[in-house]
Amino acid sequence: MDRRLFLGGAAFMLLGVAVSVESYRLGLGSLHKPSTGFVPFIAGSVVALLSLADVLKGLSPGKRDIKSLASIWEGLYWKKAAAIIFLTSLYSLLISRTGFVVLTPFYVGCCMRVLGYRKWFKIGLTFVFSTLAFYLLVYFFELSIPPFPPS
Amino acid sequence: MSTLQYLMNGFSISFQPMNLLFCLIGCMLGTLIGVLPGVGAPTGVALLIPISFGMNPVSAIIMMAGIYYGCMYGGSTTSILLSVPGEPTSVVTCFDGYQMALQGRAGPALGISAFGSFIAGSLAIFGMAMIAPPLAAFALKFGPAELFTVMILGISIIAYVARFSIRRAVIVAAFGLIVSSVGQDLVSGERRFAFGVPELQDGIDMVPVVMGLYGISEILLNVERTLGGNIFKEKIKNLLPSLEDWKKSILPILRGTGIGFFCGIIPGAGPTISTFTSYGVEKKVSKSPEQFGRGAIEGVASPESANNAAGQAAFIPLMTLGIPTSATAAVLFGALMIHGVTPGPNLISKHPDLFWGLTTSMWVGNVMLIILNLPLIGMWVRVLKIPYVILVPNILLFCVVGAYCVKNTMIDVLIMLVFGIVGYLMDKFDYEPAPMVMTLILGPKLEESLRQALILSGGSFGIFVSSPIAVIALGLAGFFLFSPIFMKKRLAVGYSD
């Protein structure tokens, strides 16, 4: 059994089936008047049917893992990746409450620490960088970013 | 007005000071993105989209196009100096470019790469000016059936050239179609797959998806990578190629230009395929093929010319047919739509300033790149020494800001993060994201064409074989999708299926 092939195929197959079912519920219409669910149903069916081939290939008795499942995680320090995702999610949730100028230095600094950067002085320069970036983005490119915490 | 008059008008637009500035910004950013492995052109263009909201469409597209062809220039630098391709289009340059650097000829390699790119880009832009208007006039005859089949052809070619199996590329393309259908149905107005989330009722924007698939996932894949291990330490000299170098390179440059131009026009073929094809052709026609892979200057001149010509020629189907030929072109397509410009047969007639301004600005950008990039080689080499731990948080910051500024909502940032994880998992399980980006952007148009065609034909699929254009497009799509089953390999790509 090729577990990598099986898992990838199974995930897409489940997605395809779910989309097809939901599209059917929305209504397919008819060939001369396709309705809301027509194209998503075709897309979901294509995903499900083609993924079924991967699932069956993965389950076939003669198939052995060409690349092991563990190799998915090889080279990835998953704790650092998870930390990056967590910090970025937190940053996006808090930016409208705390503002860009206040929060960004902490975000960039924390990411650098997570990734192993130890030079505190240079991490502190992120405050200068984030202020400069703010002025560039807001006054030159006219983006709408909350600068400071709302009063 | 004649083509010459249009070009003069275009130059008057591209030489406006603000447009020159934005062209320079785009070229420099593009070169930087091309130099930095791990940051791709689709992410770079997607990052600039929110920044371009305050700009007029002509300036915005000039800047973003600058990133596209700037990447071609930048990618070759790391290929030659480090044997690390900055972009997929620079993989082939590693074969001989790095060998030339090891032989103390990094300067001529970089020089011929830059000059070859300039010559190819100039010729391709001339070709674009000649071919695009009559092609757009021809494309006005396209009905919904022809449009649908041409888009299917484009998707099938993207699947054909995918790194992994065609079947998986089609799965990913269909997945992109599903994601594009989230939100409001354009025909009936009904909501699809929004599940009561108000922010999803307007659909999923392509900017956070592209940033997630190409930016965040790349960061997750390379989170421990550091740059600089084999930084080229020798002083780079003799950037101007010698007469002998020119004698060996001029015909490969011209051949590469032709191959690249042809590949650029074909939906899905694109710059990467053109580099492999041109390298293969040069090796075949060379009197000393054994030199290839050992520092043959032809092995640098031809693929670098091909990729730049293809990059410029890719704007032809994008602007005249509304068919993007690569993930980056698809993002540019999306950017134009966001600015209220619909790429397609009517673009040249409705927005002549944009088309001719863009065409002439690409030549101006090529001039900027050749004047600035060679003297700035030292600066780009120093950029490579920046530790990834400093680059990553700043790239993340701009991704977050870019995604946030699309609609000033954090939902887009969360979408970006979700698709970042999706992109990471797709890479680990051998699924390529490029087909998804293409169908995500083409999805609404694809669906509209299909439904219109079926309504017109009263439900008969015969409409898709009723015109020569549709028949040819479907036939070619069938060839690309099914021929590997019988031939056991994919032509000109080198993968088996």
Side-chain angles (χ1 to χ4, degrees), chain A residues 4-5 7-9 12 15 19 22-23 26 31-40 42-44 46-47 50-51 53-54 57 67 69 71-77 80-81 84-85 88-89 91-93 95-96 100 104 107-108 111-112 115-117 129 133 137 140-146, chain B residues 18 21-22 25 50-51 53-55 63 164 167-168 170-172 174-175 177-178 181 185 188 190-193 195 216 219-221 223-224 387-390 392-394 396-398 400-401 404-405 408 410 413-414 416-417 421 424-426 428-431 447 450-451 454-455 458-459 461:
Chain A
R4 178 194 286 255
L5 200 58
L7 278 176
F12 271 113
L15 173 76
V19 168
E22 176 66 13
S23 304
L26 287 170
L31 277 179
H32 67 267
K33 202 177 176 188
S35 186
T36 309
F38 185 77
V39 169
I42 294 175
V46 166
V47 170
L50 292 180
S51 303
D54 272 344
K57 268 179 112 173
K67 299 179 201 176
L69 205 58
S71 68
I72 288 172
W73 314 112
E74 266 174 17
L76 176 71
Y77 288 72
K80 294 193 180 187
I84 296 281
I85 295 283
T88 308
S89 307
Y91 178 69
S92 62
L93 286 168
I95 189 171
S96 54
F100 181 90
T104 300
Y107 169 65
V108 175
C111 284
M112 290 167 78
L115 293 172
Y117 200 64
F129 166 75
L137 293 169
F140 186 71
F141 290 113
E142 295 177 18
L143 293 184
S144 168
I145 307 173
Chain B
M18 286 310 283
L21 174 65
F22 287 124
I25 291 172
I51 287 170
F53 285 163
M55 298 160 59
M63 184 172 68
F164 307 112
R167 184 179 63 249
R168 289 189 186 174
V170 173
I171 289 171
V172 172
F175 177 48
L177 199 54
I178 292 167
S181 64
D185 176 18
S188 65
E190 276 185 65
R191 301 247 153 77
R192 294 185 294 203
F193 309 118
F195 304 115
I216 303 295
I219 286 170
L220 293 178
L221 287 164
V223 77
E224 279 273 321
Y388 209 55
V389 294
I390 294 181
V392 163
N394 291 291
L396 278 169
L397 172 65
F398 281 104
V400 169
V401 169
Y404 180 86
C405 290
N408 280 359
M410 62 98 176
V413 181
L414 293 175
M416 180 185 72
L417 290 173
I421 296 169
Y424 167 75
L425 290 172
M426 280 171 64
K428 287 294 181 181
F429 283 89
D430 299 342
Y431 291 90
E447 178 174 2
L450 174 64
R451 288 166 79 171
L454 287 173
I455 291 170
F461 282 99

Side-chain angles (χ1 to χ4, degrees), chain B residues 24 81 118 136 150 166 199 417:
Chain B
L24 180 65
L81 298 181
F118 175 74
V150 169
I166 291 179
E199 288 86 353
L417 290 173

Side-chain angles (χ1 to χ4, degrees), chain B residues 351-497:
Chain B
H351 302 278
D353 284 356
L354 186 140
F355 177 78
W356 293 106
L358 172 66
T359 304
T360 51
S361 79
M362 289 199 288
W363 187 79
V364 172
N366 272 278
V367 172
M368 286 179 183
L369 283 165
I370 196 159
I371 290 173
L372 292 173
N373 266 5
L374 289 180
L376 293 178
I377 286 285
M379 183 183 89
W380 301 126
V381 172
R382 273 193 285 276
V383 164
L384 288 170
K385 293 180 185 171
I386 299 174
Y388 209 55
V389 294
I390 294 181
L391 279 178
V392 163
N394 291 291
I395 294 168
L396 278 169
L397 172 65
F398 281 104
C399 284
V400 169
V401 169
Y404 180 86
C405 290
V406 172
K407 291 180 204 160
N408 280 359
T409 167
M410 62 98 176
I411 285 283
D412 285 324
V413 181
L414 293 175
I415 289 173
M416 180 185 72
L417 290 173
V418 166
F419 277 95
I421 296 169
V422 166
Y424 167 75
L425 290 172
M426 280 171 64
D427 186 271
K428 287 294 181 181
F429 283 89
D430 299 342
Y431 291 90
E432 189 170 334
M436 178 181 173
V437 174
M438 192 140 166
T439 49
L440 176 67
I441 290 165
L442 287 181
K445 212 167 168 185
L446 194 78
E447 178 174 2
E448 187 187 21
S449 307
L450 174 64
R451 288 166 79 171
Q452 280 178 348
L454 287 173
I455 291 170
L456 280 172
S457 69
S460 165
F461 282 99
I463 192 170
F464 297 112
V465 292
S466 61
S467 78
I469 297 167
V471 169
I472 292 169
L474 271 184
L476 286 171
F479 170 79
F480 286 118
L481 289 175
F482 298 109
S483 66
I485 297 172
F486 308 104
M487 297 170 67
K488 302 293 181 199
K489 68 171 184 179
R490 290 181 253 172
L491 299 171
V493 176
Y495 309 132
S496 55
D497 217 22

Side-chain angles (χ1 to χ4, degrees), chain B residues 64-324:
Chain B
M64 286 185 271
I67 289 187
Y68 187 34
Y69 51 84
C71 276
M72 312 287 181
Y73 277 81
S76 59
T77 304
T78 52
S79 293
I80 290 166
L81 298 181
L82 293 179
S83 191
V84 173
E87 291 293 314
T89 53
S90 309
V91 167
V92 175
T93 307
C94 290
F95 301 164
D96 284 275
Y98 186 61
Q99 293 302 317
M100 286 183 70
L102 291 177
Q103 293 163 15
R105 286 178 30 88
L110 290 165
I112 207 68
S113 165
F115 283 108
S117 295
F118 175 74
I119 293 169
S122 302
L123 291 173
I125 290 163
F126 176 75
M128 179 172 163
M130 292 294 117
I131 289 175
L135 185 59
F138 174 70
L140 281 171
K141 297 176 190 168
F142 282 19
E146 288 80 9
L147 208 53
F148 176 77
T149 51
V150 169
M151 282 191 271
I152 291 294
L153 172 61
I155 293 166
S156 68
I157 298 180
I158 284 269
Y160 186 79
V161 302
R163 268 185 300 151
F164 307 112
S165 77
I166 291 179
R167 184 179 63 249
R168 289 189 186 174
V170 173
I171 289 171
V172 172
F175 177 48
L177 199 54
I178 292 167
V179 174
S180 78
S181 64
V182 171
Q184 199 169 32
D185 176 18
L186 290 173
V187 176
S188 65
E190 276 185 65
R191 301 247 153 77
R192 294 185 294 203
F193 309 118
F195 304 115
V197 178
E199 288 86 353
L200 289 182
Q201 287 170 6
D202 290 330
I204 294 179
D205 205 278
M206 66 107 179
V207 171
V209 173
V210 171
M211 282 199 229
L213 286 177
Y214 284 97
I216 303 295
S217 70
E218 196 64 36
I219 286 170
L220 293 178
L221 287 164
N222 295 294
V223 77
E224 279 273 321
R225 192 172 77 184
T226 53
L227 297 166
N230 291 323
I231 291 292
F232 201 72
K233 292 186 172 60
E234 287 186 36
K235 196 170 162 51
I236 297 167
K237 39 191 197 252
N238 299 332
L239 286 172
L240 294 178
S242 66
L243 198 56
E244 185 63 27
D245 291 332
W246 276 112
K247 272 189 197 168
K248 287 182 182 175
S249 306
I250 192 64
L251 286 179
I253 286 172
L254 293 174
R255 280 192 287 265
T257 301
I259 291 169
F261 188 78
F262 179 72
C263 286
I265 292 179
I266 305 293
T272 308
I273 292 298
S274 71
T275 57
F276 282 94
T277 308
S278 67
Y279 189 84
V281 165
E282 285 312 312
K283 202 170 170 183
K284 272 205 164 62
V285 305
S286 172
K287 288 177 188 157
S288 45
E290 70 284 354
Q291 289 303 316
F292 280 73
R294 294 180 184 175
I297 199 167
E298 302 93 316
V300 174
S302 185
E304 283 298 315
S305 306
N307 80 25
N308 211 42
Q312 312 289 340
F315 282 87
I316 297 175
L318 174 66
M319 305 297 253
T320 60
L321 303 177
I323 307 286

